[in-house]
């Protein structure tokens, strides 16, 4: 089962607990797998939220059995350096600094860090230095928010 299908399977149970499914990763590690689920909620995600979601999701996974190998389940908040998993998550981060890894080279590079200045249809516009680069979202292997903190200690 693909990770999108696993997300569709788990989303209702996660939402019933007052959380949203931010994203998930399914990583194969030989004969073992790792299913990492990121949850979000209004306010902030607590350890108790992660425990509740983990228990509920485990029950669903035990019944539906979508992963054919032994696996470890992890549930956590996406954190400040959150990965953006879907196109609908990008608009909220216009103006933010992103670290982007492309699926293939662009001008000899795959890794870029810059400010997300906009979205045009299915493309992201990333300002890197003085340049504005346009990448199709489907070419993005991974995009993470780079947390920036104000220095109020002056």
């Amino acid at each position: 089962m693909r990770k999108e299908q696993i997300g569709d399977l788990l989303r209702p149970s996660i939402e019933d607990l007052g959380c949203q499914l931010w994203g998930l990763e399914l990583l194969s590690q030989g004969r073992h797998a790792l299913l990492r689920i990121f949850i979000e909620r209004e306010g902030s995600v607590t350890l108790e939220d992660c425990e509740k979601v983990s228990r509920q999701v485990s029950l669903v996974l035990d019944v539906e059995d979508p992963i054919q190998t032994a696996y470890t389940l992890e549930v956590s908040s996406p954190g400040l350096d959150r990965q953006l998993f879907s196109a609908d998550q990008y608009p909220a981060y216009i103006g933010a600094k992103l670290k982007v890894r492309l699926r293939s080279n662009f001008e000899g590079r795959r890794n870029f860090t810059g400010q997300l200045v906009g979205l045009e249809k299915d493309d992201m516009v990333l300002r890197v230095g003085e340049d504005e680069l346009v990448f199709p979202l489907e070419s993005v292997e991974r995009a993470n928010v780079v947390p920036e903190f104000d220095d109020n200690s002056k």
Side-chain angles (χ1 to χ4, degrees):
M1 188 175 271
R2 295 184 16 229
K3 67 181 183 179
E4 293 81 12
Q5 294 167 311
I6 293 172
D8 292 343
L9 175 69
L10 300 178
R11 186 172 284 106
S13 296
I14 293 170
E15 289 174 354
D16 285 348
L17 295 171
C19 297
Q20 295 87 40
L21 176 62
W22 181 259
L24 62 82
E25 295 176 324
L26 181 58
L27 308 170
S28 184
Q29 301 169 329
R31 291 187 288 182
H32 197 78
L34 171 63
L35 176 60
R36 188 174 290 139
I37 298 173
F38 298 96
I39 59 171
E40 184 68 292
R41 73 171 303 142
E42 198 169 311
S44 63
V45 175
T46 66
L47 181 58
E48 290 77 22
D49 294 325
C50 293
E51 290 171 346
K52 287 190 300 189
V53 168
S54 180
R55 281 192 297 273
Q56 185 63 36
V57 162
S58 290
L59 293 173
V60 173
L61 293 172
D62 286 348
V63 170
E64 298 294 331
D65 199 24
I67 304 171
Q68 302 305 310
T69 63
Y71 65 92
T72 300
L73 173 65
E74 291 181 7
V75 177
S76 72
S77 154
L80 294 176
D81 61 344
R82 62 190 54 218
Q83 181 177 347
L84 303 180
F85 287 93
S86 63
D88 64 333
Q89 293 173 336
Y90 282 81
Y93 293 93
I94 291 175
K97 189 174 185 180
L98 297 184
K99 183 175 181 179
V100 176
R101 179 172 178 87
L102 301 177
R103 296 184 195 287
S104 58
N105 281 355
F106 175 79
E107 297 181 356
R109 299 172 48 192
R110 289 180 61 193
N111 297 303
F112 296 86
T113 301
Q115 182 184 27
L116 179 62
V117 293
L119 299 166
E120 297 174 0
K121 296 186 182 178
D122 295 328
D123 298 334
M124 69 181 321
V125 181
L126 192 70
R127 182 176 297 127
V128 179
E130 297 298 315
D131 299 322
E132 285 192 0
L133 307 175
V134 178
F135 301 118
L137 289 176
E138 66 184 23
S139 73
V140 175
E141 181 177 302
R142 185 179 184 101
N144 287 78
V145 175
V146 176
E148 297 186 89
F149 303 98
D150 292 332
D151 185 9
N152 294 328
S153 61
K154 295 177 184 174

